[in-house]
Structure formats: C-alpha cells, structure tokens
C-alpha cells in the first residue's frame, strides 16, 4: 500500500499522548533556532542550557574512551557508580554505596521511569519544571499541583503539603522537590527542608529531590533534604547543568537502601527500554564525578559568574518594577509583570503566553510563560534563562583579565553582551506599552 493512503497515524495515538505538545523548553529552542536561520536576531533566554563548556579534562576522558563499544551493566558502569557515591559524600555529606546508584540517559528519563514503576499520585508545587506533569500524564498518573504564593517565592510550604496528604494519609504519593529551582532560581532554607522532611516522613512519601542545580547554588551552600529524610529520598542529579553537558545525556539517581525494591523495578524497565547509558559518556563521567582541583576551580568560577549576572539582572528587573524571587542558584529569573497588566491589555495581551509570543515577535527575546510551569494562563509570570553568552570566553576572562578584579558592569557588557541587549529590549518593550 502506498504510504500516504493509510489512515493518519494520530487516529491511533494512545489517549494519554493525544493532544500533548512537544516539551516547551525544547520547542522554544527549536523555534528560536529556526527564526535565527531565517535571519532574525533572537536572544535565546528560553531553553535552560548551561552556557559553560564541559571541563577540558572531562572532554579528554571522552576522547580517550571513544572506543568503548560494549553494552554496559543496566544500572551503570561500576566505576561511575563508585565515583557518584564518593561525590555524594564529598559534596552532600550523604552516605551511599555504589549499589544505591542508578545511571540513566538523563535524569529526565529516570524521573519518567520512576513515575512509571511507582503507583502513586504525583505531587508538585506550581510552578515546577515543564516535564514532571506531562510525564505523569503520559503514564496516566494523577497530578496534584500544590499552590504556592509569590510572597513565599513560589516555594512549597510544609502546611500545604500536609493539607494535601491529610485527608487520605496512606495514599501512595511521589513528591518532586527541585531546588535550586527551575523556573525561579530560588531555593529552600535549612529549616524549611527539615519541616518538609517531617511531613514526608509522616505520610511515608517517596520524595524525589531534584538537585540537578545543586552544584550551582551561587554561594555553594546547597544542602540535600536527604540529610533529614534519608529513608524516603531519592536524589536526582546528573551532568547536564553543573558540568555543561546537557547534550551528553547522563543522569543519576541515588536511592536509600530502603527503596532498593524501587531501584530494582526501575532497572528492569531500563533493561527493557534503553538497555544502558552510552558507554563512552559513562567512562567520561567518571572523570567528572571524581575529585579534582580543576573541576573545583571550574565550579568556583561558574558560580561566581552566575551569581554576578543574577545580581546585575536583578537590578535591571527592579528598574522595571516587576517582582521576582531573589535568584540564589541555577540560571533562571521568574519575574511577574502584573504591574503591566492594564497596558498589556490595551495591546490585546491577556495571558503570559501572549505576552511572551509578542515579545519574541517584536523584540527577538525568547522566554517561557509561567503557564508552561503550571501557573494560571492569565498570571503574567515568565521564566528568563540568562544563558545566552559564551561561557568559555567568560571563564577565560576570570582566569585572565578578571583574575584579581571583582566582576563589574563592564564584565557583563563585554562578555554577556547579548543578555544586556536582551534586557535593553525587554525594558524598551515594557516601557513603551
Ligand atoms: N530537572 C530539572 C529541574 C531540569 O531543569 C532538567 C533539565 N535539564 C532536568 C531535571 C532534566 O535534566 P537531564 O535529563 O538533562 O538530566
Ligand atoms: N531543563 C531545561 C529547561 O528547563 C532544558 C532541558 C529539558 O527541558 O529537557 O529549560
């Protein structure tokens, strides 16, 4: 039969997939690249991708291991699982054995498989990273969005979590807590983590602590909630953010030994789906997770740049009179343009999505609406990923020109000019409404 005489394939789509769109972060990236190819000037503040290069010694390790061709154990290369377990102790003071580690092709895939094997509701605060909810929907799990408030920097409170669990205390639930947070850049104080851990213990929640941005806490003060709820916390992390290797696709889960049954079930699904994570990438990742002064320096410098940029851009947003949580980690800002609601209305703009679309059309600045992160469509929040700069050049400047000089506005203009220009355009656009 000729290919095009068949019924359209979408007729046969699984109902859980029907109607879904491609993930917002990847779609904005592809759309920005398309506009660029068409000759438009685009400022890529949409996709949350590290601006920094993969550290040289990790790239070298990948080069040296390009010949690795065998399938590796489903749960991961033993040397890598050892390195991750030692890294957990070094950076997080978390005791784990190599047997507690599961390596996957990105933490996104691991989070998906966890939701698949664990039969429970998904509990996430709004706003949350774009993919948790669609994953639950694809699998057919119920999602419970926990409301948060702006005065609380959009963070989950123990009271709200308790309120959700209270009326059916034995219901199986997975809570995903992500800090430093995508999309806000904010994080949790120690006291708050302890309180949340208490609620999690009370209801025996499976807690996925998504710490993919842990290493880029701007003050290097990230603390894992696994310290306070060790028996029920799975730490999710990987190479994508702190190591600048999103495209390498390597994620890690660290389980408590009490959840070995969940680890085992995930490994079965892994064995029937992706088999094992790419061998050369796993060998190279051993170098990334092993102790090294060069990687330590790389982290110190990348944090320093992100922290300064966050401070500089916060001042720019304050000049616009928008509210936003103080950025403490990662590379995101989450402003609320509520003050512009009346003026936006006069332009026929009523939702955050319309606001972002028009901003992109009229200024070339790409950012994502709060609605992609579970906020109400009419709330005028948006995520800015301040990553459109050459991280290699910026790092070189910190080892040369800025080795003994504190970072300043000149540094930002010289090494992050596209971000400065994007913020000029954002300022002009809102200013001219
Ligand atoms: N969690 C959060 C909060 C993220 O922003 C991302 C995006 N990289 C992921 C998980 C998934 O990361 P990866 O699959 O690249 O490990
Ligand atoms: N996590 C990144 C973001 O939020 C992009 C990668 C992804 O979503 O898979 O923009």
């Amino acid at each position: 039969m000729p290919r095009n005489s068949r019924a359209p394939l979408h007729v046969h789509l699984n109902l859980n997939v029907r109607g879904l769109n491609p993930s917002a972060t990847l779609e904005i990236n592809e759309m920005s690249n398309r506009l660029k190819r068409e000759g438009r000037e685009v400022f890529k503040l949409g996709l949350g991708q590290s601006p920094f290069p993969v550290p040289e010694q990790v790239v070298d390790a990948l080069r040296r291991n390009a010949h690795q061709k065998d399938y590796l154990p489903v749960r991961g290369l033993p040397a890598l699982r050892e390195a991750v377990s030692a890294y957990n102790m070094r950076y997080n003071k978390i005791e784990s054995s190599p047997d507690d580690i599961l390596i996957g092709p990105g933490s996104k895939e691991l989070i998906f498989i966890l939701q698949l094997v664990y039969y429970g509701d998904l509990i996430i605060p709004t706003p949350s990273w774009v993919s948790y909810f669609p994953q639950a929907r694809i699998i057919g799990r119920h999602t419970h969005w926990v409301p948060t408030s702006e005065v609380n920097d959009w963070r989950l409170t123990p009271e709200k979590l308790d309120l959700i669990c209270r009326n059916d205390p034995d219901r199986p639930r997975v809570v995903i807590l992500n800090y430093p947070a995508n999309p806000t850049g904010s994080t949790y104080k120690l006291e708050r983590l302890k309180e949340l851990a208490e609620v999690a213990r009370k209801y025996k929640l499976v807690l996925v602590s998504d710490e993919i941005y842990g290493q880029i806490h701007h003050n290097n003060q990230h603390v894992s909630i696994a310290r306070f709820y060790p028996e029920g916390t799975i730490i999710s992390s990987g190479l994508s953010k702190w190591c600048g290797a999103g495209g390498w696709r390597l994620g890690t889960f660290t389980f408590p030994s009490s959840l070995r049954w969940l680890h085992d079930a995930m490994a079965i699904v892994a064995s029937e789906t992706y088999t094992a994570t790419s061998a050369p990438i796993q060998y190279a990742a051993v170098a990334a997770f092993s102790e090294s002064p060069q990687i330590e320096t790389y982290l110190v410098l990348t944090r320093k740049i992100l922290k300064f940029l966050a401070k500089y851009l916060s001042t720019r947003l304050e000049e616009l009179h928008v509210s936003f949580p103080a950025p403490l980690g990662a590379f995101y800002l989450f402003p609320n343009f509520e003050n512009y609601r009346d003026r936006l209305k006069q332009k026929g703009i009523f939702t955050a999505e319309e606001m972002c679309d028009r901003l992109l059309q009229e200024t070339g600045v790409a950012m994502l609406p709060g609605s992609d992160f579970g906020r109400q469509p009419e709330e005028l929040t948006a995520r800015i990923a301040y990553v459109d700069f050459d991280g290699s050049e910026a790092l070189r400047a910190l080892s040369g020109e800025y080795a003994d000089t504190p970072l300043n506005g000149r540094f930002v203009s010289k090494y992050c000019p596209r971000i400065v220009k994007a913020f000029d355009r954002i300022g002009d656009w809102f200013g001219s409404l």
Side-chain angles (χ1 to χ4, degrees):
M1 196 196 297
R3 281 169 68 82
N4 58 8
S5 69
R6 291 231 206 110
L9 288 173
H10 69 261
V11 169
H12 306 296
L13 277 181
N14 178 326
L15 290 182
N16 289 351
V17 176
R18 214 159 154 162
L20 280 183
N21 290 316
S23 191
T25 51
L26 304 173
E27 197 166 48
I28 190 80
N29 189 40
E30 289 178 22
M31 190 206 283
S32 305
N33 290 342
R34 185 165 40 76
L35 291 173
K36 273 181 124 165
R37 279 198 303 276
E38 288 167 9
R40 289 277 314 271
E41 186 176 28
V42 179
F43 301 89
K44 293 181 64 180
L45 312 186
L47 178 72
Q49 165 161 273
S50 168
F52 300 109
V54 178
E56 197 45 44
Q57 72 198 95
V58 182
V59 175
D60 276 347
L62 181 59
R63 247 185 233 117
R64 283 197 308 277
N65 283 287
H67 67 282
Q68 302 286 356
K69 61 170 222 7
D70 289 346
Y71 291 115
L72 292 181
V74 173
R75 291 168 203 240
L77 180 70
L80 177 56
R81 296 170 75 200
E82 255 169 52
V84 172
S85 141
Y87 165 97
N88 284 336
M89 179 48 83
R90 211 163 56 246
Y91 285 111
N92 269 335
K93 298 191 182 65
I94 300 292
E95 239 175 274
S96 60
S97 96
D99 292 343
D100 299 324
I101 314 294
L102 177 62
I103 308 295
S107 60
K108 190 177 193 170
E109 182 66 17
L110 293 177
I111 295 169
F112 179 75
I113 293 183
L114 173 82
Q115 296 204 58
L116 182 80
V117 302
Y118 187 76
Y119 184 81
D121 291 353
L122 172 67
I123 311 229
I124 42 176
T126 94
S128 276
W129 176 48
V130 296
S131 289
Y132 304 137
F133 165 68
Q135 290 188 347
R137 186 177 147 185
I138 290 167
I139 294 163
R141 297 278 179 264
H142 177 69
T143 299
H144 208 124
W145 289 96
V146 191
T148 63
S149 66
E150 190 170 8
V151 287
N152 214 344
D153 287 344
W154 309 111
R155 284 177 299 224
L156 182 64
T157 61
E159 295 78 19
K160 290 266 166 56
L161 183 59
D162 193 280
L163 205 62
I164 280 179
C165 301
R166 194 179 297 169
N167 58 3
D168 188 356
D170 298 321
R171 200 179 172 94
R173 297 177 172 101
V174 173
V175 178
I176 307 183
L177 203 62
N178 166 227
Y179 56 103
N182 180 359
T184 62
S186 108
T187 190
Y188 290 93
K189 293 210 168 77
L190 207 66
E191 273 319 301
R192 192 36 61 90
L193 288 179
K194 287 183 186 165
E195 291 161 1
L196 287 164
E198 262 173 48
V199 181
R201 178 168 295 122
K202 181 168 158 195
Y203 296 106
K204 298 189 177 59
L205 303 174
V206 170
L207 183 58
V208 176
S209 183
D210 184 343
E211 303 181 27
I212 192 111
Y213 300 100
Q215 282 284 35
I216 43 175
H217 184 297
H218 297 166
N219 294 326
N220 190 20
Q221 285 173 350
H222 177 73
V223 174
S224 174
I225 195 169
R227 297 247 292 264
F228 313 117
Y229 181 46
E231 70 275 25
T233 302
I234 301 166
I235 303 173
S236 176
S237 191
L239 286 187
S240 298
K241 309 299 168 177
W242 69 266
C243 194
W248 286 24
R249 312 306 304 127
L250 186 130
T252 63
F253 260 22
T254 301
F255 293 83
S257 50
S258 46
L259 294 183
R260 183 63 54 82
W261 54 275
L262 208 47
H263 182 172
D264 292 345
M266 285 183 64
I268 291 169
V269 174
S271 77
E272 299 290 13
T273 52
Y274 63 78
T275 305
T277 305
S278 156
I281 297 292
Q282 290 202 60
Y283 280 96
V286 176
F289 284 105
S290 298
E291 195 162 8
S292 118
Q294 288 93 329
I295 290 188
E296 210 31 67
T297 304
Y298 168 92
L299 283 169
V300 168
L301 298 183
T302 54
R303 286 184 201 120
K304 192 169 170 186
I305 294 169
L306 292 175
K307 180 176 174 173
F308 187 77
L309 205 45
K311 189 172 132 217
Y312 169 90
L313 298 176
S314 296
T315 309
R316 301 283 317 255
L317 285 181
E318 278 156 13
E319 285 162 10
L320 273 179
H321 305 292
V322 296
S323 49
F324 59 97
L328 298 169
F331 28 65
Y332 304 116
L333 288 159
F334 195 64
N336 186 347
F337 293 95
E338 176 60 31
N339 278 345
Y340 292 85
R341 180 174 298 282
D342 291 340
R343 279 170 272 173
L344 286 165
K345 237 187 235 165
Q346 281 165 21
K347 257 193 140 191
I349 297 172
F350 299 92
T351 66
E353 193 178 344
E354 289 165 356
M355 178 178 80
C356 291
D357 283 350
R358 289 284 285 278
L359 185 76
L360 177 58
Q361 277 170 36
E362 294 175 20
T363 69
V365 177
M367 56 188 201
L368 285 175
S371 45
D372 284 335
F373 300 86
R375 301 301 305 166
Q376 290 303 312
E378 62 281 2
E379 180 185 280
L380 296 172
T381 47
R383 185 189 82 174
I384 296 176
Y386 48 95
V387 296
D388 193 353
F389 64 98
D390 183 336
S392 304
E393 271 189 23
L395 281 175
R396 269 196 294 279
L398 258 74
S399 314
E401 193 184 340
Y402 280 90
D404 302 311
T405 314
L407 298 186
N408 51 28
R410 227 189 104 252
F411 170 85
V412 181
S413 312
K414 184 161 175 196
Y415 294 101
C416 313
R418 301 186 53 72
I419 297 195
V420 174
K421 203 163 171 192
F423 271 64
D424 290 345
R425 297 234 176 146
I426 294 172
D428 290 348
W429 192 78
F430 280 99
S432 68
L433 285 173

